[in-house]
Amino acid sequence: MRFYNTLTRKTEEFIPRDRDNVTMYTCGPTVYHYAHIGNLRTYIMEDILEKSLNYIGNKVNRVMNITDVGHLSSDADTGEDKMIKGAQREHKSVMEIASYYTECFKNDCKELNIKWPDTVIPATSMIDDYIEFIKVLESKGYTYFAGGNVYFDTSKLDNYYVLTNNDEENLKEAVRDDVLVDKNKKNKIDFVLWFTKSKFDSQELKWDSPWGVGYPGWHIECSSISLKCLGEYLDIHCGGVDNKFPHHTNEIAQTESYLGHKWCNYWFHPEHLNDASGKMSKSKGEFLTVSLLKEKGYNPLSFRYMCLNSHYRKQLVFSFDNLSSSENAYNKLLNKINSLSEEGEIDTNKFDEYNNKFIEYINNDLNTANAITLIYELLKNDIVNGKTKLELIRSFDKVLSLDLIRKEKVSDKHNYIMSKIDERNNAKKNKDYALADKIRNELAKEGIILVDTREGTTYKLEELYE
Ligand code: AMP
Ligand code: ZN
């Protein structure tokens, strides 16, 4: 597979360290409010990347954080703290806000068929790890203490701008107009690892540390969580383009200083979805959420379809007109697919021909728009029979996740599970316990939990999202 690697600024062949354990880290949401559909475009494209890698034979192990503490809008400790702002707005505690909006985000993911990552870690659950991380940086001479805070000293690095090619634009972003310059910093671009002093007297969540009672800076969580859950070498790190600088740049600085070697080989950054005003906002204008789309009568998957029809490295402008056209096209596509009948035997040549084309498109920097066009071509092709078409579309939908095929009839699913239970009983009879376990585990992955009783084996269906 080839995709654009921000680190090398090239579309490159992806070579993981281990295809059976491709490590992927995703910057999660700051849970101070609902996610807007811009945020969700990024998560849709990360979902496509994960599913595409799995489709072509990798096994992705994906970790995501939930930012529930101290995400400042800048590196100066004068930026606003989004979590406190959210709590004040709703007259709730920071933890109440965090747990409510984490649930909302989970629901949005479910509505948009975004797979929930294998491991999801709230930032507040790993404070001891951040402290240990900062202690190592301190012992290696990468930090200084000023005005009550621990800073990372970027002047100790030769190649701080590895991700962004040190240009003026990025520097401007680091010190935005709305943010006062932090006088404690030795260099403008230094960043805080641990705060004990800040303008937020109202900071609710504080922890003891060797530097005093305080809270972590806003980059350390991703570095620590990634190292703890995915090890010293990371294959892919993802986040929206705004994360490149300073967040990801600072993650690389501190993590590679901590490790003493290169950390992550591939950086994946989907472009933004903007509204007509040019920037998607959670405060001004119409706050575009999945719930709002639903209230207006749209199917959330029409939004997914809309995102997949444009390339992830191009900015996309959202309008309800665009969404309406996408919904029309999407509904027509569903109707065409669902009027197919499962007749004939699978034509393996045609299956491979189309499947290879599909793989070619997703391998080409995730060209999902071409992958969708391929479905239209397939539908038009009279030489391919209904059964083959449906099998192909069912297969492509493992990546696209557009619910292209109507859910199986309950009885079909029941028959399938019963045949698997028979297979497992036979395996047990033949003392092939490895096979019996394999069948159980495979069913579990599909959300089908086998229950052994004295009367025999039954099953229950588990929701993918608990
Ligand atoms: P946040 O909740 O602000 O931490 O952002 C969650 C994710 O959404 C991050 O990966 C951001 O880079 C991404 N993001 C923020 N704004 C947009 C946008 N307008 N379009 C696409 N992705 C975005
Ligand atoms: Zn992050």
Side-chain angles (χ1 to χ4, degrees):
M1 151 159 322
R2 293 167 67 78
F3 65 85
Y4 185 83
N5 183 3
T6 313
L7 191 62
T8 55
R9 291 176 203 90
K10 283 190 205 120
T11 303
E12 287 188 323
E13 184 67 29
F14 172 65
I15 306 167
R17 292 184 173 86
D18 175 1
R19 278 173 67 99
D20 287 332
N21 183 28
V22 173
T23 51
M24 178 167 171
Y25 185 84
T26 313
C27 286
T30 310
V31 283
Y32 70 109
H33 218 320
Y34 298 106
H36 58 50
I37 55 172
N39 303 127
L40 291 159
R41 179 196 189 191
T42 293
Y43 294 105
I44 289 172
M45 292 320 302
E46 292 164 350
D47 181 61
I48 290 283
L49 175 63
E50 176 181 3
K51 288 174 178 165
S52 298
L53 286 167
N54 283 333
Y55 195 75
I56 58 168
N58 300 282
K59 283 208 182 83
V60 177
N61 179 8
R62 179 162 170 211
V63 174
M64 183 177 79
N65 65 304
I66 298 280
T67 301
D68 56 357
V69 63
H71 185 153
L72 308 188
S73 57
S74 110
D75 269 320
D77 88 318
T78 43
E80 34 175 31
D81 181 307
K82 293 180 177 178
M83 290 305 296
I84 295 179
K85 214 177 139 198
Q88 284 168 349
R89 184 187 63 234
E90 297 183 24
H91 307 291
K92 289 194 181 132
S93 72
V94 166
M95 286 328 272
E96 280 167 345
I97 288 283
S99 88
Y100 175 72
Y101 288 112
T102 302
E103 276 313 303
C104 296
F105 178 68
K106 225 177 187 181
N107 275 332
D108 290 343
C109 289
K110 199 170 167 184
E111 298 272 14
L112 292 166
N113 283 348
I114 298 168
K115 176 183 165 282
W116 196 240
D118 303 286
T119 309
V120 178
I121 309 266
T124 45
S125 70
M126 281 193 35
I127 302 293
D128 290 347
D129 296 79
Y130 313 151
I131 292 173
E132 286 310 307
F133 196 118
I134 300 166
K135 273 163 64 179
V136 171
L137 291 178
E138 191 175 41
S139 70
K140 289 186 165 192
Y142 285 106
T143 65
Y144 59 92
F145 192 75
N149 300 329
V150 184
Y151 289 85
F152 186 93
D153 186 351
T154 52
S155 68
K156 295 272 155 64
L157 304 179
D158 297 333
N159 194 9
Y160 172 67
Y161 286 102
V162 61
L163 210 55
T164 45
N165 219 3
N166 187 10
D167 59 42
E168 283 292 310
E169 275 310 302
N170 293 321
L171 258 176
K172 269 191 236 148
E173 249 185 75
V175 188
R176 287 183 223 151
D177 296 344
D178 60 331
V179 165
L180 298 171
V181 177
D182 178 350
K183 299 242 166 49
N184 296 317
K185 289 184 178 184
K186 287 193 200 166
N187 316 289
K188 273 211 269 209
I189 48 175
D190 290 350
F191 54 94
V192 180
L193 296 163
W194 187 268
F195 288 100
T196 71
K197 294 267 182 317
S198 82
K199 73 169 188 174
F200 310 119
D201 291 335
S202 51
Q203 184 75 29
E204 272 175 43
L205 301 173
K206 289 186 186 170
W207 296 266
D208 204 5
S209 85
W211 312 282
V213 175
Y215 58 96
W218 67 286
H219 312 295
I220 198 81
E221 59 179 283
C222 289
S223 292
S224 297
I225 293 172
S226 175
L227 288 194
K228 179 141 187 179
C229 301
L230 296 168
E232 285 192 9
Y233 295 95
L234 180 64
D235 288 313
I236 314 173
H237 197 307
C238 314
V241 276
D242 57 301
N243 281 164
K244 279 192 225 171
F245 190 90
H247 184 46
H248 289 166
T249 302
N250 290 345
E251 273 191 57
I252 296 176
Q254 66 198 8
T255 312
E256 297 196 348
S257 303
Y258 171 94
L259 291 170
H261 61 71
K262 191 175 174 190
W263 170 43
C264 176
N265 284 339
Y266 298 87
W267 289 79
F268 178 79
H269 290 114
E271 256 297 346
H272 274 185
L273 175 77
N274 297 320
D275 60 20
S277 77
K279 194 174 190 300
M280 200 137 294
S281 167
K282 297 191 183 186
S283 46
K284 47 182 194 316
E286 198 165 39
F287 181 3
L288 295 165
T289 59
V290 169
S291 319
L292 182 74
L293 303 190
K294 283 177 69 178
E295 269 166 38
K296 291 190 181 250
Y298 292 97
N299 176 352
L301 290 181
S302 303
F303 173 66
R304 186 175 172 110
Y305 180 84
M306 177 180 147
C307 292
L308 300 191
N309 266 306
S310 83
H311 196 262
Y312 78 91
R313 279 201 293 123
K314 288 211 180 97
Q315 285 191 5
L316 184 62
V317 178
F318 177 83
S319 71
F320 281 103
D321 282 348
N322 286 350
L323 185 63
S324 298
S325 324
S326 294
E327 180 143 299
N328 281 340
Y330 175 57
N331 284 340
K332 276 190 196 148
L333 179 65
L334 292 184
N335 286 341
K336 275 192 194 135
I337 293 169
N338 289 299
S339 62
L340 290 170
S341 64
E342 297 252 9
E343 67 195 23
E345 292 295 309
I346 294 183
D347 177 342
T348 50
N349 286 336
K350 284 288 165 208
F351 186 94
D352 290 347
E353 184 189 317
Y354 273 93
N355 195 37
N356 289 341
K357 271 196 203 158
F358 179 78
I359 290 173
E360 198 183 295
Y361 291 141
I362 56 170
N363 278 359
N364 180 17
D365 202 15
L366 303 180
N367 198 332
T368 43
N370 276 2
I372 290 173
T373 307
L374 181 70
I375 299 178
Y376 285 99
E377 276 171 36
L378 172 68
L379 288 169
K380 271 196 237 145
N381 189 338
D382 294 337
I383 299 167
V384 185
N385 66 29
K387 175 86 181 163
T388 311
K389 283 180 178 168
L390 284 165
E391 276 306 303
L392 277 162
I393 294 168
R394 200 167 276 132
S395 187
F396 301 163
D397 210 31
K398 287 180 193 158
V399 175
L400 303 175
S401 299
L402 287 166
D403 288 355
L404 293 174
I405 308 253
R406 263 194 212 110
K407 297 259 176 290
E408 297 164 87
K409 280 182 251 146
V410 177
S411 58
D412 289 350
K413 186 154 189 165
H414 175 76
N415 292 343
Y416 162 75
I417 300 169
M418 293 319 286
S419 74
K420 286 284 169 189
I421 290 176
D422 278 351
E423 231 178 284
R424 179 166 168 266
N425 287 342
N426 280 335
K428 282 207 280 194
K429 229 185 262 162
N430 299 331
K431 298 211 173 359
D432 189 349
Y433 297 112
L435 177 62
D437 284 347
K438 191 169 165 238
I439 294 169
R440 170 194 279 280
N441 294 339
E442 280 174 355
L443 287 174
K445 275 189 209 150
E446 294 172 47
I448 302 158
I449 307 301
L450 297 188
V451 185
D452 290 319
T453 69
R454 258 188 295 175
E455 287 74 39
T457 305
T458 61
Y459 65 90
K460 58 182 187 191
L461 300 177
E462 204 184 53
E463 267 281 315
L464 194 55
Y465 298 81
E466 287 146 339

